[in-house]
Structures are given as C-alpha cells and as structure tokens.
Amino acid sequence: MDNSTARLDIEVVVVCDPVEGQDDNINHLSRNGDRPDQSSLELIRGGLAEVTDKVVHYSRIDDFVDNITAHRNSVIFPYWFGEVSRNRHALVPAICEAYGVPYVGADTYTKSVCNDKHLSKLICYECGLATPRGLLVTGPDDLSCPADLPFPAVVKPLFQGSSLGISEDSLVRDLSAARRVASEIVEVFGWPVLIEEMLIGREISICVLGDHQSAPEIRALSWELNGDPAFLDQRLFTYALKYLDDVQFAPILAPEVLTPGLRSACEKLFRMLDKVEVLRIDGRLTEKGFSVIELSPDLDLRPDGELAVVFGEDGYPSLLRRLLINALKRHRS
C-alpha cells in the first residue's frame, strides 16, 4: 500500500462527539469547550470520502463498543473528546487495542502522558528539550508557602488541552493572584494545578508526522494574529483568543527555528512516545532558545487545521490517506 491517489479499499470508522447547536455561554471553564462542532465533523468526513467509499460515524462510545466486532477490518479514526474524565482522550485508543482494531494516532500511553503537563515535561527534559520552571500544586497546602515560585507565572489545569482553563487572568504576578486563579480552576477541573513561569517570546508549534519505521517529518510554524507576528510574544494564547474572540489567524512556516539539535531532540521524543504518528510540540522561542509548554497528539484534523497547513502540500485527502496508511503499517508490524 502506498501514498498514491488510488482510493483505499478499507472502511474508516470516525468516532467523534460533536457538540449540538451553539452554546453562547461557553468559555475557558467549560468542560465541553474542546469538543468539535458538527461542521468540523462534516469536513473530516468529506475529506475521508475522497479517500475511501466506506466511512462510518459513531458519536457515542457505547454505540461504538456495541458494534466494534463488525469493524475488525476497519481503521478507526478517533476524534472523540468527551467531557469529564481526565482519560477521555485515551478511551477510544484503549478500546481499539482491547479489540485488536487498527486506529489512527497516539495510543493510550501517549495520550495520557501528553495530557499530563508535568509528566510530559519530565519526558521532554530527558529528550534534551528545555521546559519552563514551575510548581505542581496538588492541594491548597502547596500554596501556603511555595518555594521559588517564578513570577510572572501562568496558572493552568494539569490535565486539559485546547487552552481550557486559560484566560488573561491566568497570567499572575503574585501569590495572592495565583491562589485566586487556582481556586477558580479547581472548582471545575479539580486538582492538581500547574504554576509555571511565563515565557516571553514567539509562540511556536513543532509538528511531527511519521510512522515507527522511517524518519519522521518535522516542521515548525508560528502564528500571526491580526497581522501582527509578535501579537503573542508577551500574551497568553488564551481560550478566548483561540475560539471566541474576533481574531484573524495566519500560520507562518518557521523552518529557521529547527536547529539540528532541536530537530534531533524532537525526533528522540517522537521515538520515545512510540505509537504516536502525529504530535505537536507547543512552546516559545525565548532569548535562551526553544522551550516546551505542552505536547498534543490531538491535532486539529480539519482541512484548515495546523496539520493540513504544515503537511498538506499534496492536498487534504492525501494527508488523510497518509494517516490511514501509517495506522495500518503499525497495526500489521
């Protein structure tokens, strides 16, 4: 099987839980704030329909489980986000592995590691990637007299992605503000909370695409907001900026960021995580170099998402085909 334009003779099962309708009250503290909408699902299904004639969709995990034995020869396309469990991103891969069904993207281990911002930074450090100084706060006693807390600092949930829990108030300059923001986050997402130094510099996303056999492709991009490439240099990339505010985004490829040492460290991380296939390494380029803020194997898979921007030079269907083929290669090896 190759990356040609021939249609694939496989069934693709999309497991995706789009939100129904529009919630005008959604914000950075909404548990369903990272779930895709119906239009995103239709864009992905449309792209897959250009690759194969057989596309099935489940929006409920229990329906998927009830019918999974009928899809043992299919490839599962996880795009399910859930709401409550800290393991929600890892549920579909876990089900697929239990039934021996191939699936696209990261396995349960990698999903769980990347979802834990503290644990993922420890792994980044072992791979030679710099990370910001910070404090893991497991309860209110940890904030009674913290040692060497770096200010200005960012207060964020330990287990969330998509900037959930992140607002302009998350950037704090003293202990009193840190306690207040931590209390607000805990009411919704619970402990632990991560407090880490605010990095000043260009927001960078390093995207990695590949399989477990050949060298992965590694590309970097930055963001221009409202025509300003320095818009985020001293600001947080908040939930409102990403999803609510009237902001014009323009991704900019940034190959100059990828020094040989940084490229090597990113590949080492990709190999260490093993079953990942697609990974985004978010960070900032400071005066000291690139520093990792978080890892995400849950990329925006729409035709205008960062994955298509970085790796979609042959077209969106070709990119989806590549993801499916990589998943099959891994399953058969």
Side-chain angles (χ1 to χ4, degrees):
M1 187 173 292
D2 57 31
N3 287 324
S4 68
T5 58
R7 297 179 72 80
L8 299 179
D9 186 22
I10 57 172
E11 179 183 71
V12 178
V13 178
V14 181
V15 185
C16 175
D17 55 340
V19 292
E20 297 181 1
Q22 181 174 339
D23 185 355
D24 293 331
N25 296 317
I26 201 165
N27 58 44
H28 68 290
L29 295 176
S30 300
R31 279 196 168 273
N32 65 346
D34 59 349
R35 284 172 58 187
D37 57 20
Q38 187 66 34
S39 64
S40 297
L41 170 61
E42 294 306 321
L43 287 170
I44 293 171
R45 290 183 67 176
L48 290 169
E50 295 189 44
V51 178
T52 177
D53 295 327
K54 309 166 189 175
V55 181
V56 178
H57 169 237
Y58 292 102
S59 60
R60 292 167 51 90
I61 285 284
D62 51 355
D63 290 338
F64 172 56
V65 173
D66 288 345
N67 293 279
I68 194 170
T69 55
H71 302 298
R72 289 193 182 276
N73 297 316
S74 306
V75 178
I76 312 304
F77 198 95
Y79 209 57
W80 195 86
F81 287 78
E83 290 186 15
V84 178
S85 171
R86 67 180 182 180
N87 301 310
R88 55 201 176 98
H89 295 292
L91 293 179
V92 174
I95 293 167
C96 291
E97 291 194 358
Y99 284 89
V101 179
Y103 59 95
V104 170
D107 64 5
T108 302
Y109 168 78
T110 295
K111 293 268 191 178
S112 299
V113 165
C114 293
N115 192 45
D116 186 323
K117 297 183 181 71
H118 178 68
L119 178 58
S120 61
K121 286 184 173 66
L122 296 178
I123 293 179
C124 286
Y125 177 80
E126 292 298 327
C127 292
L129 291 163
T131 61
R133 293 181 300 140
L135 174 69
L136 180 63
V137 183
T138 60
D141 290 346
D142 290 348
L143 284 174
S144 59
C145 187
D148 194 29
L149 192 60
F151 290 110
V154 184
V155 185
K156 60 181 70 173
L158 181 66
F159 295 120
Q160 302 301 320
S162 302
S163 290
L164 284 173
I166 306 295
S167 70
E168 291 184 358
D169 291 339
S170 300
L171 179 57
V172 299
R173 302 186 182 279
D174 55 53
L175 184 57
S176 175
R179 288 172 175 156
R180 175 178 53 79
V181 175
S183 297
E184 293 174 354
I185 290 173
V186 167
E187 285 186 9
V188 178
F189 300 114
W191 300 102
V193 168
L194 186 63
I195 303 178
E196 60 187 19
E197 66 176 312
M198 171 64 179
L199 298 176
I200 304 301
R202 186 157 53 132
E203 185 92 11
I204 299 291
S205 291
I206 299 175
C207 299
V208 189
L209 173 66
D211 56 39
H212 65 295
Q213 296 174 330
S214 55
E217 288 190 60
I218 304 175
R219 301 179 185 178
L221 61 82
S222 62
W223 301 96
E224 182 180 276
L225 276 68
N226 291 338
D228 183 2
F231 187 94
L232 291 170
D233 284 8
Q234 300 187 55
R235 292 183 173 94
L236 293 179
F237 209 168
T238 65
Y239 182 86
L241 273 178
K242 288 183 179 180
Y243 303 109
L244 303 179
D245 294 346
D246 186 16
V247 177
Q248 298 298 315
F249 286 84
I252 305 170
L253 293 178
E256 71 280 0
V257 171
L258 291 170
T259 63
L262 179 55
R263 182 181 292 274
S264 176
C266 291
E267 181 169 352
K268 183 177 181 180
L269 173 65
F270 188 80
R271 294 297 180 208
M272 180 179 287
L273 293 174
D274 192 29
K275 167 63 170 142
V276 56
E277 296 166 14
V278 176
L279 179 68
R280 193 183 71 231
I281 306 168
D282 291 332
R284 293 214 169 189
L285 189 63
T286 72
E287 293 179 348
K288 297 180 180 180
F290 180 77
S291 188
V292 177
I293 295 175
E294 65 180 17
L295 305 178
S296 177
D298 302 302
L299 276 67
D300 185 345
L301 296 177
R302 297 174 299 177
D304 59 349
E306 67 264 27
L307 189 65
V309 168
V310 176
F311 296 112
E313 62 267 21
D314 294 328
Y316 181 57
S318 179
L319 175 61
L320 295 177
R321 166 194 295 276
R322 184 174 177 183
L323 293 174
L324 295 169
I325 290 173
N326 284 350
L328 284 171
K329 282 182 179 178
R330 177 56 185 251
H331 183 72
R332 292 167 178 171
S333 65

